[in-house]
Amino acid sequence: MSEGLHIYRAGPDQVPGCAGVVNDWIDATPWKPRVFSRDAIEGMIRDALPVRQIFVVGDPVEAYLSFDPETSKIGALFCRRTGAGVGKALLDHVRQGRDFVWLTSDEPNLKAQAFYRREGFVDCGFIDPEPPETLRELRMEWHA
């Protein structure tokens, strides 16, 4: 499970691995349209690195979480494998010492939403997509 996982702050060397996790997930998810190219996703993660707290597990990167401490928003949580406790460990890491975090989940991503609910997140309503995105999102919040 998640015991013994090494969670560390991402640097520039981890950006391609983070992008690979996201891109592979998009390619394997039938309901998720590819809105941005593989290179664009890597660029977005690279641009976020100085302004977000990005935590990773594994070398090579197995999972990552991007967090904005100013807004308390989890902007991304992607894992190569589910059910191994890695996502929970990343969530626990970012929630440590906080009393509130929030995130959005694509409306069709029922497995992720079930996971977040098990972790204490509650549904707070839907957000319409902003182009070029096409999927409505569910806002979810966690309070300590």
Side-chain angles (χ1 to χ4, degrees):
M1 287 300 263
S2 62
E3 288 183 31
L5 285 179
H6 176 59
I7 297 172
Y8 60 100
R9 191 84 177 257
D13 291 346
Q14 285 74 45
V15 169
C18 293
V21 173
V22 176
N23 281 310
D24 291 349
W25 178 82
I26 291 170
D27 291 344
T29 305
W31 53 261
K32 181 68 174 175
R34 178 166 289 282
V35 176
F36 299 103
S37 71
R38 294 179 76 83
D39 289 341
I41 289 173
E42 185 170 330
M44 287 185 271
I45 296 170
R46 189 171 310 285
D47 291 347
L49 195 59
V51 293
R52 301 285 187 268
Q53 294 177 354
I54 299 179
F55 299 101
V56 295
V57 172
D59 184 18
V61 174
E62 179 181 329
Y64 91 98
L65 183 147
S66 176
F67 182 70
D68 182 343
E70 289 189 22
T71 63
S72 297
K73 181 181 182 187
I74 295 172
L77 173 56
F78 288 92
C79 303
R80 288 205 181 276
R81 298 176 293 126
T82 59
V86 178
K88 178 178 176 24
L90 284 165
L91 274 181
D92 289 347
H93 184 80
V94 82
R95 291 187 291 190
Q96 193 170 33
R98 301 185 185 284
D99 58 4
F100 168 77
V101 297
W102 69 283
L103 54 82
T104 60
S105 175
D106 291 328
E107 184 175 18
N109 199 348
L110 302 178
K111 287 183 181 182
Q113 292 161 26
F115 164 71
Y116 293 129
R117 287 183 192 109
R118 284 192 307 273
E119 290 302 311
F121 284 78
V122 296
D123 300 2
C124 295
F126 288 99
I127 302 167
D128 289 329
E130 293 184 23
E133 297 290 343
T134 59
L135 297 173
R136 197 163 74 146
E137 296 177 314
L138 175 62
R139 179 182 169 120
M140 303 181 82
E141 296 181 357
W142 171 84
H143 299 266

